[in-house]
Amino acid sequence: MTIKARTLLPALGTILLAAGCGGQTAGSAPGAIAVQAGDDACKLSTTSAPAGTIRFDITNTGSQVTEFYLYGEGDRVLSEVENIGPGLTRQLVVEVPQGGKYTTACKPGMQGDGIRGEFTVTGSASAQNGAATQAVADYKRYVDEQADQLKAGTARFAAAVKAGDVEQAKQLYASARLPWERIEPVAESFGDLDPRMDGREADLEQGQQFTGFHRLEKDLWVTGPQPDTPAIADQLLADVDQLVAQTRTVQLTPAGIANGAKELLDEVATGKVTGEEETFSHTDLWDFRANVDGAKQVVTTLRPVLSAKDPQLLAVLDQKFAAVDALLARYQVGDGFKLYTELTPEQVKELASAVDALGEPLSKTAGVVAQ
């Protein structure tokens, strides 16, 4: 999970195009909707747009790190951009093919429901081209496969937990999470499921129960099994079942899945390469590998589209992915990886630099696909 419960990916189809990893200090791009995101206000230059590709340029005019969301019906997150520092501008590009009522929100401090406003989309957008449609179909199959693997792996892990076999459960923990990490932006799009399944203790909000993978991680590596540990495992299994059912009906777009690839790299940059995700087991490099694999799968499915629209970008992506792969290979041990705590600060810095170098061209992918 990210620093906090973040959700993404498209019900109707969305993309997020981050302006590089660190954001930028620039004005609005032509045709973009300017958003002034302050500490106590969220002002848009317009609150309506025609269906299709909608671009928001969000400038943080406040004093806290902020984020911006576009919600659909039922508070379903269509897309979001986060970690916008004071004075920085980041771009959010969203595909909204159907008209209707939507909601925008700025979240100063990246907490709570945020400062909300109505947003209207008019008309409807044209269908995708053939290559793009095929890419979505291919990626949807990948999501379904990963969801099935998540269910099977979690069942084995939970069985070991409930049997009190701590050592076996530890052995199964990291591998059980891999499918989740590969499709994390999709998995995180289902509201409360993400914080229940993947919430970290350090990110809990007031009154929120510590559950899911990371609660079991703590039970296994720190406290030992607790009286409610079996119940936590049962709830995780039930949540996985719900997730699998919801992935079957999720609707994706080419730009939306491209956005998900960038989100996966953001996951690596903000949680895995810092060692914050797996605080108790220190199995962060397993998650790191899975996030990168998920991002590579997106590029693979979009390859025909990218090859036609921007072959140079595709070549750079291939080069940067290869660099990250080569670095990760140094830390592979059998079917797994070294623990995060076994890495030196220099090695962590080298990994972080490679992720940043990949994140920059990957942030352009959604925009290219949306052209």
Side-chain angles (χ1 to χ4, degrees), residues 7-15 76-80 139 183-189 250-253 255-261 263:
T7 50
L8 218 306
L9 246 267
L12 299 175
T14 69
I15 63 175
R76 182 172 178 80
V77 178
L78 298 186
S79 194
E80 56 96 8
Y139 186 71
I183 59 170
E184 195 164 5
V186 176
E188 288 183 344
S189 68
V250 70
Q251 297 179 40
L252 305 171
T253 69
I257 62 177
N259 170 56
E263 280 300 298

Side-chain angles (χ1 to χ4, degrees), residues 10-75:
L12 299 175
T14 69
I15 63 175
L16 173 154
L17 176 61
C21 294
Q24 61 184 26
T25 54
S28 296
I33 297 171
V35 180
Q36 303 294 313
D39 290 340
D40 54 10
C42 184
K43 298 180 180 177
L44 280 67
S45 58
T46 180
T47 56
S48 67
T53 301
I54 303 173
R55 289 175 168 80
F56 298 93
D57 278 356
I58 305 103
T59 300
N60 185 350
T61 58
S63 60
Q64 307 175 70
V65 176
T66 192
E67 56 191 355
F68 178 79
Y69 283 72
L70 181 66
Y71 292 98
E73 186 178 358
D75 254 9

Side-chain angles (χ1 to χ4, degrees), residues 6 39 69 74 108 132-133 140-141 143 171 184 197 202 207 220 223-224 237 266 343:
R6 82 172 66 150
D39 290 340
Y69 283 72
T133 301
K140 180 61 170 58
R141 280 194 291 274
V143 169
Q171 290 296 318
E184 195 164 5
M197 294 175 62
L220 294 171
T223 65
L237 285 171
D266 285 346
L343 301 179

Side-chain angles (χ1 to χ4, degrees), residues 84-108:
I84 310 171
L88 295 181
T89 296
R90 294 188 71 180
Q91 188 175 79
L92 176 67
V93 185
V94 188
E95 284 181 353
V96 186
Q98 296 297 328
K101 297 292 185 182
Y102 297 83
T103 302
T104 57
C106 298
K107 297 189 178 182

Side-chain angles (χ1 to χ4, degrees), residues 112-322:
D113 292 336
I115 305 166
R116 296 192 170 212
E118 292 185 356
F119 191 83
T120 302
V121 175
T122 58
S124 60
S126 57
Q128 304 153 4
N129 64 39
T133 301
Q134 185 59 50
V136 169
D138 291 345
Y139 186 71
K140 180 61 170 58
R141 280 194 291 274
Y142 176 75
V143 169
D144 289 344
E145 292 169 359
Q146 295 304 312
D148 288 340
Q149 290 181 25
L150 176 65
K151 182 174 181 176
T154 304
R156 291 191 291 269
F157 168 65
V161 169
K162 294 173 66 178
D165 191 339
V166 172
E167 290 308 312
Q168 178 68 6
K170 284 182 173 180
Q171 290 296 318
L172 294 171
Y173 172 77
S175 59
R177 288 177 49 76
L178 294 179
W180 168 276
E181 297 289 346
R182 293 186 187 116
I183 59 170
E184 195 164 5
V186 176
E188 288 183 344
S189 68
F190 302 121
D192 292 341
L193 277 179
D194 174 50
R196 286 210 307 266
M197 294 175 62
D198 200 35
R200 300 184 315 204
E201 187 175 35
D203 300 327
L204 294 178
E205 297 184 357
Q206 189 171 9
Q208 182 181 348
Q209 186 183 5
F210 188 26
T211 59
F213 279 113
H214 293 305
R215 161 60 198 278
L216 295 175
E217 178 196 10
K218 184 176 183 180
D219 289 0
L220 294 171
W221 269 271
V222 180
T223 65
Q226 301 297 298
D228 65 343
T229 296
I232 296 293
D234 282 336
Q235 183 60 55
L236 178 61
L237 285 171
D239 288 340
V240 168
D241 285 345
Q242 184 177 342
L243 175 75
V244 171
Q246 291 187 254
T247 58
R248 296 295 190 251
T249 60
V250 70
Q251 297 179 40
L252 305 171
T253 69
I257 62 177
N259 170 56
K262 178 60 173 65
E263 280 300 298
L264 285 167
L265 260 291
D266 285 346
E267 291 282 344
V268 176
T270 59
K272 280 71 173 188
V273 82
T274 63
E276 297 175 62
E277 181 75 14
E278 306 292 355
T279 305
F280 310 113
S281 65
H282 306 300
T283 54
D284 301 273
L285 291 189
W286 277 258
D287 298 350
F288 188 138
R289 176 74 265 173
N291 284 161
V292 172
D293 286 343
K296 285 180 71 176
Q297 183 62 35
V298 169
V299 172
T300 296
T301 57
L302 289 172
R303 184 168 293 273
V305 180
L306 294 172
S307 180
K309 293 187 174 182
D310 195 338
Q312 290 183 328
L313 175 62
L314 183 58
V316 171
L317 287 170
D318 287 341
Q319 178 188 14
K320 300 302 182 184
F321 270 119

